[in-house]
Amino acid sequence: MRPFRIDIPEADLDDLRRRIAATRWPSEVPGVGWDRGVPVDYLKELAEYWRTEFDWRAAEARLNRYPQFITEIDGVDVHFLHVRSPEPDAVPLIVTHGWPGSVAEFLDVIGPLTDPAAHGGDPRDAFHLVIPSIPGYGFSGPTGQTGWDVRHVARAWAELMRRLGYDRYAVQGGDWGMAISLELGLADPEHVAGVHVNMFVTFPPDDPSAFAELDDTDNARLGFALRFQQDGMGWQRIQSTRPQTLSYGLTDSPVGQLAWIVEKFKEWTDSDKAPEDAVDRDHLLTNVTIYWLTATAGSSAQLYYESARGDEAFVTTWGGPWPLRAPVGVAVFPHDAALPIRRWADRLLPTLAHWTEFDRGGHFAAMEQPELLVEDVRAFVRPLR
C-alpha cells in the first residue's frame, strides 16, 4: 500500500478555467425550467462561480487531512481513505459511494463516525473508516480492463479489508455503494458483521397478488418508480450501452460534465429550486471537479455497462434477492431516486433487521443529512458490536 496525497498541477486548474470561459452555450426553449434538463441561465451562473470563485486548493486540503493510500488489486489501482478512530474498540466500517458521487461525499461524516466523543456522541459508537474510490472513479482512475462489475468490486473490497487486517467489519453504501455493499456481504460472509444501505430498490414480486396488499403509501411509491422508469432513466440507458461515446463530450467540456452531474443533484435531492437547496455549492463542485480533473466521466460509466446489461441484468444487480447471512439495515430518505416498499423489501432481504424512514433528505444522504445518516449507522451497528 502506497501513501497517496492529492496534488493537482496548477496547469490543470488553469486549463479548467480556460475551458469554462470558452464554452459554446446552447439555446433553450424558453420558460420550461428544469423539465428538459439544466437551464442555461442557472448553469452559466454556476459555471462562472466554478471558474472564478470555487477554491479547489481548499477542497484539496480538506481531502488531504485524511490518510489516503493506493493499492493494486487484480491489476487495478484502488484509491482509499483510511481513517482510524482514537477509540481502540472501534468497529471497522467500509463505506462506498455511487454515481455521480466520490469519496468527497463523506467529508461531513468522517469526524462524527471516527471520533463521536469529539462531536457530542458516545465514544462506544466509534468506527475505523475505509472509504475507497470505486475502480474507474476519481483517484482510482480508469481500470483499463473489462469485467469490473459490482461483484468484482465487492470481491476487491473484501481483499482490501483483509490487507488492512480487519477480520470483522461492517459495510455501508448508497447508489452503486448499495449494490456493492450487499454483494460484499455475500462475497465475504465470514467477516461482514452487517450491511447498512441508504438506498434500496424493490422490484415487484412475480406473484401478482402482491399488489393487492399495497397501501396508499406503497402505491404512491410504485407510481413514483414507474414515472422514474419512463422519464428519469436516460443517464442509465446511455451509460449502460454507450459509455465510450458519452465520454468524449464529458471529458472535453467541463460545463458538459458539470451539467451531467448537477442535473442528478437537482432531481435526486431534497431541493426546491436548485441543488444548492440541499447540498452546499462548494461541496457539490468538489465532487464535480474530481470527475473533471481525473478524466473519469467515461470510466465511471463503465460500471453501468458491466453491471447492467439489459433489463434482466439490471434487476439482478440492483434488486436481489439478497440471501445474506449478515443483518441488513435500510435508511429511507424521502427524496431519493428510489423509494423502497417495505413489504417487498422483507421478501428481498431475509435478514432485514433495521428500517428507518426519515422526513427529509435525498439520494446523497452523507452530503444532505449527515447527522441523520451518522445516527442511523450507529443505531444499526450497536447490537452487532
Side-chain angles (χ1 to χ4, degrees), residues 303-326:
L303 183 61
Y304 282 87
Y305 188 95
E306 297 288 353
S307 301
R309 300 297 295 132
D311 290 341
E312 182 177 350
F314 186 76
V315 171
T316 302
T317 297
W318 286 90
W322 303 95
L324 287 89
R325 287 163 46 182

Side-chain angles (χ1 to χ4, degrees), residues 4-151:
F4 177 81
R5 183 176 176 83
I6 304 168
D7 186 14
I8 299 299
E10 190 64 30
D12 290 358
L13 302 178
D14 291 339
D15 177 65
L16 169 60
R17 299 182 191 106
R18 178 187 61 79
R19 287 171 180 265
I20 295 173
T23 299
R24 186 171 71 159
W25 293 95
S27 63
E28 67 177 345
V29 178
V32 298
W34 287 80
D35 289 349
R36 305 188 185 200
V38 184
V40 171
D41 286 347
Y42 168 80
L43 199 64
K44 280 185 175 180
E45 191 277 327
L46 181 60
E48 184 64 10
Y49 179 89
W50 193 16
R51 186 180 74 87
T52 61
E53 298 185 50
F54 173 69
D55 186 352
W56 167 256
R57 292 303 181 199
E60 186 178 70
R62 190 181 179 197
L63 285 161
N64 281 334
R65 290 178 197 165
Y66 304 107
Q68 299 172 65
F69 302 87
I70 298 282
T71 188
E72 183 181 311
I73 301 177
D74 294 346
V76 169
D77 281 344
V78 173
H79 163 260
F80 64 99
L81 281 65
H82 185 202
V83 188
R84 295 274 300 178
S85 171
E87 303 297 333
D89 296 326
V91 170
L93 175 68
I94 183 168
V95 181
T96 308
H97 64 86
W99 183 91
S102 69
V103 295
E105 277 186 59
F106 306 110
L107 287 171
D108 290 336
V109 302
I110 292 174
L113 287 173
T114 57
D115 193 2
H119 295 80
D122 188 334
R124 292 173 295 182
D125 285 328
F127 295 94
H128 300 306
L129 282 185
V130 179
I131 308 176
S133 298
I134 298 171
Y137 286 70
F139 300 104
S140 284
T143 64
Q145 302 175 9
T146 60
W148 277 92
D149 59 9
V150 294
R151 293 175 180 87

Side-chain angles (χ1 to χ4, degrees), residues 15-16 19-20 23 38 43 50 99-100 136-137 234-236 238-240 242-264 287-302 304:
D15 177 65
L16 169 60
R19 287 171 180 265
I20 295 173
T23 299
V38 184
L43 199 64
W50 193 16
W99 183 91
Y137 286 70
W235 101 98
Q236 187 269 332
I238 192 168
Q239 294 194 163
S240 297
R242 300 295 185 271
Q244 186 62 39
T245 303
L246 174 68
S247 71
Y248 295 108
L250 300 187
T251 305
D252 188 60
S253 168
V255 169
Q257 176 70 94
L258 178 64
W260 192 246
I261 291 178
V262 80
E263 179 186 89
K264 300 311 161 200
N287 184 68
V288 175
T289 308
I290 288 173
Y291 278 83
W292 173 259
L293 294 174
T294 58
T296 49
S299 58
S300 63
Q302 297 292 338
Y304 282 87

Side-chain angles (χ1 to χ4, degrees), residues 210-224:
F211 291 88
E213 64 187 17
L214 300 183
D215 59 20
D216 290 345
T217 299
D218 294 335
N219 279 312
R221 291 184 174 184
L222 182 60
F224 172 83

